[in-house]
């Protein structure tokens, strides 16, 4: 788990919420799920998957490292 700070402007082209699902090695399921105003869209086209993988990798690169993310989540929970 990694936390992406609110102040981060990692990828202005990524404005929607998306999930990358990669199940199996080699993958038996590889899809991107995108949520939008009226529902959800599933993308399985290889060109789309490559674009979303690159966007996901850019987001991970600017997010807090896993240990810092976990520490932040624990701190916030303890303040509730």
């Amino acid at each position: 788990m990694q936390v992406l700070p609110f102040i981060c402007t990692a990828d202005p082209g990524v404005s929607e919420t998306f999930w990358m699902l990669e199940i199996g090695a080699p993958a038996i399921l590889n899809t991107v799920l995108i949520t939008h105003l009226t529902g959800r869209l599933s993308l399985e086209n290889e060109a789309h998957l490559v674009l979303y993988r690159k966007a996901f990798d850019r987001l991970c690169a600017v997010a807090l490292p896993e240990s810092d993310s976990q520490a932040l989540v624990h701190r916030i929970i303890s303040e509730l």
Side-chain angles (χ1 to χ4, degrees):
M1 174 185 75
Q2 289 180 268
V3 174
L4 188 64
F6 284 121
I7 61 170
C8 182
T9 57
D11 193 341
V14 178
S15 59
E16 72 276 348
T17 300
F18 70 94
W19 293 270
M20 295 200 64
L21 300 175
E22 297 172 348
I23 299 173
I28 58 173
L29 174 66
N30 199 1
T31 188
V32 172
L33 296 175
I34 302 169
T35 58
H36 54 86
L37 187 59
T38 59
R40 194 174 350 167
L41 175 66
S42 176
L43 302 175
E44 295 180 10
N45 176 287
E46 187 62 31
H48 293 148
L49 295 174
V50 168
L51 289 173
Y52 276 90
R53 167 53 63 197
K54 288 179 181 179
F56 185 77
D57 290 344
R58 287 191 305 267
L59 292 169
C60 288
V62 297
L64 296 175
E66 286 185 37
S67 59
D68 293 347
S69 294
Q70 289 176 5
L72 176 63
V73 170
H74 287 294
R75 183 178 59 85
I76 291 170
I77 289 171
S78 72
E79 293 173 359
L80 296 178

